[in-house]
Amino acid sequence: FLDIQMPELNGLDYSRMLPPQTRVVFTTAFNQYALDGYKVNALDYLLKPISYPDFLQTANKAQEWFNLIWQSKQTNHEERAKKEDDNIQSIFVKSEYKLIQIELKNILYIEGLKDYVKIYEENAAKPIMSLMSMKAMEEMLPHDRFMRVHRSYIVQKEKIRIIEHNRIVFGNTYIPIGDSYKQAFQDFLDKRS
């Protein structure tokens, strides 16, 4: 809330020095400044003496503006985060005192073993073992590509070729589908069958 007529510097000039995202409500006894107020992107203009209903209406307008801006920023942040997740091509995991980069497209499935995970890749002689929880691994992976199907298994959806007797088959490995994951897995299958 900014008065227009002030000593040494008027409110219009002062409002031009504020950051562009700042919104001002001008208060003045002179209605001839109303048009100038809107030229500097004022949110509203209150004529003195200011009645309580007018003040309340303007305060609510300012609150609505703030909420719209805040929601817009939240939405933009979430969209950027999702795009970043969608663009992830690889992850780094610590294994045997080194960081190893793993291409996501090569991962078949991940097996949890107490405090460790084993990452099984296509055409790899042996899995990569890393000291981390399944929950931490699940959070690293893009949810649109990977799915937890058991408390001990995460699979890459696109790599699933065979499902037999409620188990996912990767070569000689049979991955069970846990009871608490069956509905989400069935929903995934229903969208694709």
Side-chain angles (χ1 to χ4, degrees), residues 4 12 20 24 33 37 47 50 54 61 82 119 131 138 158:
I4 289 182
L12 291 169
V24 173
Y33 293 113
L47 197 57
I50 301 167
D54 288 345
K61 185 177 181 180
K82 184 175 179 347
I119 303 164
L131 177 62
E138 189 175 16
E158 295 300 319

Side-chain angles (χ1 to χ4, degrees), residues 43 99 111 122 154 156 169 178:
L43 189 61
L99 279 175
E111 179 182 11
E122 284 181 310
I154 298 171
Q156 182 159 194
V169 181

Side-chain angles (χ1 to χ4, degrees), residues 2-6 9-18 24 26 32-42 45:
L2 182 63
D3 201 343
I4 289 182
Q5 288 199 340
M6 299 184 298
L9 180 68
N10 80 31
L12 291 169
D13 292 334
Y14 181 75
S15 69
R16 289 183 182 103
M17 295 186 300
L18 295 171
V24 173
F26 285 110
Q32 70 262 26
Y33 293 113
L35 184 59
D36 291 333
Y38 286 107
K39 285 182 180 176
V40 293
N41 209 10
Y45 184 91

Side-chain angles (χ1 to χ4, degrees), residues 58 104 108 151:
T58 298
L104 293 181
L108 290 171
R151 63 182 179 87

Side-chain angles (χ1 to χ4, degrees), residues 137-150:
M137 176 55 78
E138 189 175 16
E139 289 172 359
M140 283 177 71
L141 299 169
H143 300 302
D144 61 326
R145 293 176 64 182
F146 291 86
M147 172 181 251
R148 193 153 182 181
V149 295
H150 187 275

Side-chain angles (χ1 to χ4, degrees), residues 22-184:
T22 305
R23 289 295 171 262
V24 173
V25 174
F26 285 110
T27 60
T28 186
F30 307 100
N31 62 4
Q32 70 262 26
Y33 293 113
L35 184 59
D36 291 333
Y38 286 107
K39 285 182 180 176
V40 293
N41 209 10
L43 189 61
D44 211 343
Y45 184 91
L46 291 173
L47 197 57
K48 293 179 185 178
I50 301 167
S51 70
Y52 183 73
D54 288 345
F55 171 79
L56 192 57
Q57 182 180 358
T58 298
N60 287 334
K61 185 177 181 180
Q63 182 66 47
E64 287 174 20
W65 177 84
F66 175 79
N67 288 343
L68 283 172
I69 296 301
W70 186 82
Q71 287 172 350
S72 175
K73 286 181 180 177
Q74 280 297 108
T75 302
N76 288 343
H77 174 73
E78 289 166 6
E79 287 173 358
R80 271 196 313 276
K82 184 175 179 347
K83 283 180 184 173
E84 287 171 8
D85 282 351
D86 291 346
N87 292 330
I88 292 175
Q89 301 299 317
S90 63
I91 58 173
F92 284 91
V93 295
K94 192 171 187 176
S95 181
E96 300 175 9
Y97 305 103
K98 38 186 182 199
L99 279 175
I100 299 174
Q101 184 178 25
I102 301 172
E103 298 280 329
L104 293 181
K105 66 182 180 185
N106 296 332
I107 297 174
L108 290 171
Y109 64 94
I110 297 150
E111 179 182 11
L113 303 165
K114 209 169 182 180
D115 298 329
Y116 290 86
V117 293
K118 278 184 172 181
I119 303 164
Y120 292 84
E121 296 178 278
E122 284 181 310
N123 306 318
K126 62 179 188 165
I128 296 170
M129 188 176 265
S130 180
L131 177 62
M132 87 175 9
S133 70
M134 281 292 278
K135 182 174 174 49
M137 176 55 78
E138 189 175 16
E139 289 172 359
M140 283 177 71
L141 299 169
H143 300 302
D144 61 326
R145 293 176 64 182
F146 291 86
M147 172 181 251
R148 193 153 182 181
V149 295
H150 187 275
R151 63 182 179 87
S152 300
Y153 291 98
I154 298 171
V155 298
Q156 182 159 194
K157 297 174 191 178
E158 295 300 319
K159 301 295 182 177
I160 298 171
R161 300 287 178 256
I162 301 170
I163 302 164
E164 181 182 306
H165 301 299
N166 216 23
R167 298 179 297 179
I168 301 166
V169 181
F170 287 110
N172 295 327
T173 304
Y174 290 80
I175 296 175
I177 299 163
D179 290 338
S180 55
Y181 302 94
K182 277 184 182 169
Q183 188 57 55

